[in-house]
Amino acid sequence: LVDLKRRHTKVMSELLLDILRALASTSTDIRRKTLAIALDLVTLKNIDDVVQVLKKEIGKTQAKEYEKQGEYRQMLIQAIHSCAVKFPDVAQNVVHLMMDFLGDANVASAVDVVIFVREVVESYPELRASIVAKLLEAMDTIGSSKVYRAALWIVGEYSHSDEEVVAAFNTIKDCMGDAPFVDPEHDDDAVAAALDAEAAAVVAMKPHANVVRLFGVVREPTLGIVLEFCARGALDE
């Protein structure tokens, strides 16, 4: 197929949907090579059909009995992302479907999704309200700290109306649960180490006008964090 693609690109492009039937194989290697060939043959003429096939394949990976579903789903998400880069109009047709996998157990797959969502929300102002609303719905399913940070950035950056801001705070508060946020039975050293690791990642972030800066972690006399001073007081006041 690779040799035929190189010699007869136009003919192979017309047969692209037939080539994609190879995705029915249980071999991860065959699936990966099939997607690589397909992405080289995608044109404006067949892009909609290709995306429909990829969306159906993503749906199949939600079945628990599907072999290596996480790895295959990640490949499909990356393929759709590549299609959206080549043909931007595709993005608005698939972004809400992709967001169903923000809580994917495969962290790499979930990270790919949130990166895609961030690119779409920056490029399509008309989709921002629906994307923010969908993010808030998915917030309690997210298990990766990397994905959560990106999701919080999107929500903070693009929640403009009073209703959106209130909905965002309520959702975040519900996800945090009731205080105390640390189980008193947890080992203090383990809790401190986890806080240090998370704080290091936040401190390394570039300053942003809508994000309260974190300067560091205090160990003594009690465990705490040092935040940027907010001159106008607490938000709940």
Side-chain angles (χ1 to χ4, degrees), residues 145-146 149 189-205 214 217 219 223:
S145 59
K146 291 182 179 179
R149 280 197 297 269
D189 291 337
V191 172
L195 181 60
D196 285 344
E198 189 70 17
V202 177
V203 169
M205 295 172 62
L214 172 67
V217 175
R219 291 291 191 92
L223 190 63

Side-chain angles (χ1 to χ4, degrees), residues 26-65:
T26 57
S27 169
T28 300
D29 192 43
I30 290 177
R31 288 170 172 165
R32 182 179 291 107
K33 290 180 179 178
T34 298
L35 288 172
I37 293 172
L39 291 176
D40 288 338
L41 296 173
V42 172
T43 64
L44 189 60
K45 183 178 179 180
N46 60 27
I47 180 61
D48 290 335
D49 292 331
V50 170
V51 170
Q52 281 299 115
V53 171
L54 297 178
K55 287 168 66 175
K56 288 181 180 178
E57 289 297 310
I58 285 182
K60 293 178 183 178
T61 64
Q62 296 185 66
K64 292 183 178 180
E65 66 273 10

Side-chain angles (χ1 to χ4, degrees), residues 85-226:
V85 170
K86 290 183 179 179
F87 305 95
D89 289 342
V90 169
Q92 55 189 325
N93 297 326
V94 298
V95 63
H96 293 95
L97 170 68
M98 300 271 275
M99 291 173 71
D100 289 336
F101 302 100
L102 286 168
D104 201 322
N106 184 332
V107 175
S109 178
V111 170
D112 286 337
V113 170
V114 80
I115 290 174
F116 175 71
V117 172
R118 185 178 64 189
E119 292 177 1
V120 173
V121 80
E122 290 174 351
S123 303
Y124 294 89
E126 68 276 13
L127 296 178
R128 288 173 182 170
S130 62
I131 288 177
V132 168
K134 181 75 172 179
L135 266 180
L136 294 178
E137 291 178 8
M139 207 60 95
D140 63 344
T141 68
I142 298 175
S144 164
S145 59
K146 291 182 179 179
V147 176
Y148 219 104
R149 280 197 297 269
L152 287 174
W153 182 88
I154 294 171
V155 170
E157 185 72 13
Y158 297 107
S159 294
H160 296 310
S161 69
D162 292 345
E163 293 79 6
E164 289 173 336
V165 172
V166 170
F169 272 108
N170 288 337
T171 299
I172 294 170
K173 182 179 178 181
D174 291 341
C175 290
M176 292 174 64
D178 297 326
F181 303 122
V182 178
D183 188 340
E185 296 182 359
H186 282 180
D187 180 71
D188 289 343
D189 291 337
V191 172
L195 181 60
D196 285 344
E198 189 70 17
V202 177
V203 169
M205 295 172 62
K206 293 181 179 179
H208 190 281
N210 295 343
V211 179
V212 178
R213 293 185 64 186
L214 172 67
F215 292 105
V217 175
V218 177
R219 291 291 191 92
E220 298 293 341
T222 58
L223 190 63
I225 56 177
V226 181

